[in-house]
Amino acid sequence: MRIDAHQHYWKTERGDYGWLTPKQGILYADYMPEQLQDSLRRYQFERTIVVQAAPTLEETQFLLSLYDEYESIAGVVGWLDLDSPQFSEQYAKFRRYKGFVGFRPMLQDLPDSWILRPQVMQNMEQLVKDDFPLDLQLRPRHHPYILEAFRSFPTLRAVVDHAAKPFIAGRILEPWKTEMAELAAFPNVICKLSGLVTEADQQAWNWMDLAPYVHHVIEVFGTDRVMFGSDWPVCLATCSYDEVYLALMNALPSNLTSEDHLAIFGGNAARFYQLL
């Protein structure tokens, strides 16, 4: 099964996307499964993982309703408040839905050390116990704190979204390279090769700008702990779905096998999100 492991759907009228305003240009519109189906078909993607774009329980419920309606959605990575005393109750409610395969706190909008708050750490114990996956919306500034969290919970099953958003436009590799190697040392942590085009120079970029970052992710995580995500429709602010896909195909190491490609473009996502 070929899976796009990171994309979004939203309806602006729902009103809980605080970041989504007319200033976002092309993104300030409705994006639903019908608009993505041609691109998925063109690159033989059978299913997708749809990821939250608003920090609300209501949006998670909305995405789960889409899961019930559209066969193309393999699973929903929703939102839960890890810093809430009511987390266990909310978590138990959504675990009853087959389509709820993970959740993501919007870390880039939270204080850098938020992940280490006592209530958050207490609630993460439940995730470790259940071996339930967590998507991490990291930026480089979060690294010292997320690393400390992993030292407390070394078996936490988590995926680093967008390769932790390296500074591609500035062609800056360190300390990102060292930090990614440190994260990769935890065997249950994997990485999404997603969202990279939005970190590149928006005036002039090509796949070669992505290659050093893609190669390093493959080197430290291995092909069995990496997955492709288009980050559609966010990617449209930079380029088309086609350009995202082709840029990654070109940026991948040339010595990868067909089995490696099967893993990166579906197999690893199916295993991580327990879709099998």
Side-chain angles (χ1 to χ4, degrees), residues 10 12 17-31 53 106 108-109 139 165 198 202 231 233-239:
W10 58 67
T12 55
Y17 312 99
W19 62 276
L20 189 57
T21 69
K23 293 181 180 180
Q24 297 296 329
I26 192 172
L27 300 185
Y28 190 67
D30 293 349
Y31 288 97
M106 298 182 78
Q108 70 177 20
D109 298 327
R139 287 189 177 273
K165 297 196 172 187
T198 59
Q202 298 300 285
D231 200 26
V234 175
C235 67
L236 299 180
T238 299
C239 62

Side-chain angles (χ1 to χ4, degrees), residues 86-119:
Q86 284 75 50
F87 170 81
S88 293
E89 178 184 344
Q90 297 166 354
Y91 171 68
K93 171 189 172 183
F94 284 116
R95 284 296 306 273
R96 292 196 288 267
Y97 290 82
K98 180 183 178 183
F100 186 70
V101 298
F103 71 95
R104 180 176 80 158
M106 298 182 78
L107 292 179
Q108 70 177 20
D109 298 327
L110 298 170
D112 294 355
S113 60
W114 178 89
I115 199 76
L116 297 180
R117 289 184 177 182
Q119 185 69 65

Side-chain angles (χ1 to χ4, degrees), residues 207-226:
W207 67 265
M208 291 182 286
D209 299 325
L210 312 183
Y213 303 89
V214 171
H215 283 221
H216 183 65
V217 167
I218 296 291
E219 179 183 351
V220 297
F221 283 93
T223 55
D224 61 339
R225 289 198 289 149
V226 173

Side-chain angles (χ1 to χ4, degrees), residues 147-158:
L147 196 61
E148 187 172 340
F150 279 124
R151 290 184 184 123
S152 296
F153 303 116
T155 62
L156 177 66
R157 185 150 57 95

Side-chain angles (χ1 to χ4, degrees), residues 172-199:
I172 298 170
L173 284 165
E174 289 291 0
W176 173 85
K177 284 183 69 174
T178 299
E179 293 169 350
M180 292 301 281
E182 290 173 335
L183 291 174
F186 294 92
N188 288 349
V189 177
I190 72 173
C191 182
K192 284 184 182 178
L193 290 171
S194 58
L196 298 181
V197 296
T198 59
E199 304 305 318

